Amino acid sequence: MKSDAERIDEFAAWIEGVMRARGYDIDSPRGGGKTKLAEDAGVHRAAITRLLQRQSMPDLETMRGLSRALGIPVRDVLIRSGKLTEQDLPQAPAPPETGTVPGDQALSAEQAATALGIPEHLRAAFVQITEQLRLGTAAGPAIPEAGADGQAGT
């Protein structure tokens, strides 16, 4: 088990690298990087200074602000800080491919049924209806169109 000081040191080292990679000048006393980061994160400059001097671990609101300002998921910040584990915050499954990238195949009706969790006993109907909608073909009784008065024709 790591001590608090070790956790703070590891987290601070990681977050410093991210800060530098995002262009914040945190190394020079007059560079303004700490102040700019504090403004972007919506936190007090002292919170940034305490972290960089390894005095204390940021609170949740500071971590949220750092996450936003640095463009990293708050999940990563919380796990790297040691506040939570990957088991505490499981990663959501990746959404199925949408077929928007040139050369990719479009999502089939069967793949969509699986991705949406359509029960097995309803899949055939889902696939049939989806294909009919996709192809623009009608199945089953026609839906009466509304007349000029807004009422369905009789």
Side-chain angles (χ1 to χ4, degrees):
M1 189 85 171
K2 293 180 184 175
S3 71
D4 287 345
E6 289 172 319
R7 282 195 351 226
I8 292 170
D9 189 52
E10 283 183 16
F11 179 70
W14 172 73
I15 204 86
E16 282 176 353
V18 176
M19 291 172 184
R20 287 183 188 104
R22 300 296 191 271
Y24 290 99
D25 181 8
I26 58 170
D27 298 308
S28 63
R30 303 239 184 253
K34 295 174 199 167
T35 301
K36 175 78 170 118
L37 177 59
E39 289 171 2
D40 292 350
V43 301
H44 291 285
R45 185 181 187 281
I48 304 297
T49 301
R50 282 192 302 271
L51 170 61
L52 296 176
Q53 291 178 350
R54 279 117 169 112
Q55 293 175 348
S56 66
M57 187 68 77
D59 63 16
L60 180 58
E61 286 307 310
T62 301
M63 287 188 188
R64 283 180 163 163
L66 287 171
S67 169
R68 279 189 311 273
L70 298 171
I72 51 178
V74 72
R75 177 185 187 275
D76 293 353
V77 175
L78 291 170
I79 291 170
R80 290 288 195 135
S81 73
K83 297 267 187 197
L84 296 170
T85 67
E86 290 194 40
Q87 291 75 29
D88 295 328
L89 293 171
Q91 190 105 22
E97 294 296 321
T98 60
T100 58
V101 177
D104 278 358
Q105 295 295 321
L107 190 64
S108 73
E110 185 62 40
Q111 290 169 324
T114 301
L116 291 170
I118 304 296
E120 195 66 42
H121 69 281
L122 297 174
R123 280 208 185 158
F126 176 86
V127 169
Q128 180 182 3
I129 292 168
T130 303
E131 285 301 312
Q132 289 170 349
L133 290 170
R134 188 179 67 79
L135 298 173
T137 58
I143 299 172
E145 291 188 28
D149 61 359
Q151 299 293 317
T154 53

